[in-house]
Amino acid sequence: LQTEPRHVSALTMLGTIRAQCGNPAEAARLFEMSLAVDPLLPNALYNYGIVLAGLKRFEEALASYDRALALKPDNPVILNNRGNALAGLGRFEEALASYDRAIALDRNYPDAFLNRGMALSGLNRHEEALASYDRAAAIRPDDADALFHRANTLALLKRLGEAVESYNAVIALDPGHAPAFNNRGNAL
């Protein structure tokens, strides 16, 4: 970048590295510079959306994901993260549609099933949410998040024995998961 300050690939990669190193403001600046040079870079648009969502700038993240999807309409990862931005805005029905599109493209995408479950929970559709958490856990059995959300949903449905079993599974995977211990105590 010192010799070629508008090098799109270098700007995009450095933005990705800054995001991974915990400097989202700098990452956003670098993605903005990259996209000013070439606004049609799906990777930059996608990663910029991730950074914006991390900064709780969900409307902007959604716009970035939508631009990326215009270039790569069949990308389940972009669709999943688009759903996350919509969920961050409290637009759970739209988020659900985005997760469903991601799942239609990849029937074994555990993150999309997990996020679908959370959107359904946001809509108070707990039985359906439970089915999504079950699917996420079936695909990735060591996913403590899926099991934790599954346990919370079972507790909401007053299926307390099953909730305790699910909290126990979370604790077996992550012995330091304080919320699982707390919620297991509540279920007991």
Side-chain angles (χ1 to χ4, degrees), residues 5 84 86 141 144 174:
N84 292 344
L86 287 162
D174 182 1

Side-chain angles (χ1 to χ4, degrees), residues 3-183:
T3 58
E4 195 176 332
R6 293 174 47 90
H7 191 284
V8 174
S9 295
L11 287 165
T12 301
M13 286 305 299
L14 188 56
T16 302
I17 291 167
R18 292 288 187 244
Q20 291 171 343
C21 290
N23 190 343
E26 177 65 9
R29 186 185 72 78
L30 289 161
F31 288 128
E32 288 163 5
M33 290 172 61
S34 176
L35 292 166
V37 176
D38 186 349
L40 300 177
L41 290 173
N43 189 41
L45 289 164
Y46 167 71
N47 285 306
Y48 186 41
I50 291 172
V51 168
L52 292 169
L55 293 168
K56 307 288 189 228
R57 293 165 51 186
F58 297 116
E59 286 286 352
E60 294 169 84
L62 179 60
S64 194
Y65 292 136
D66 284 343
R67 288 174 50 208
L69 281 169
L71 301 168
K72 290 192 171 230
D74 293 332
N75 187 306
V77 177
I78 298 171
L79 285 162
N80 179 62
N81 283 305
R82 179 183 185 274
N84 292 344
L86 287 162
L89 292 167
R91 293 162 53 183
F92 298 116
E93 286 287 352
E94 292 171 82
L96 188 59
S98 199
Y99 300 133
D100 285 342
R101 282 184 54 208
I103 291 166
L105 293 167
D106 183 353
R107 297 294 304 158
N108 292 307
Y109 188 9
D111 292 337
F113 280 103
L114 172 63
N115 293 328
R116 182 180 190 277
M118 289 189 277
L120 288 163
S121 291
L123 294 167
N124 294 315
R125 293 164 53 185
H126 301 298
E127 290 288 348
E128 293 172 83
L130 182 60
S132 284
Y133 298 138
D134 284 343
R135 181 70 177 129
I139 297 167
R140 192 168 52 207
D142 62 344
D143 187 340
D145 284 339
L147 293 171
F148 181 69
H149 287 288
R150 177 183 189 278
N152 288 341
T153 302
L154 287 165
L156 281 170
L157 294 170
K158 305 294 184 210
R159 293 165 54 181
L160 300 177
E162 292 173 83
V164 169
E165 288 176 20
S166 197
Y167 288 126
N168 287 340
V170 173
I171 293 164
L173 290 169
D174 182 1
H177 199 296
F181 279 101
N182 180 74
N183 293 5

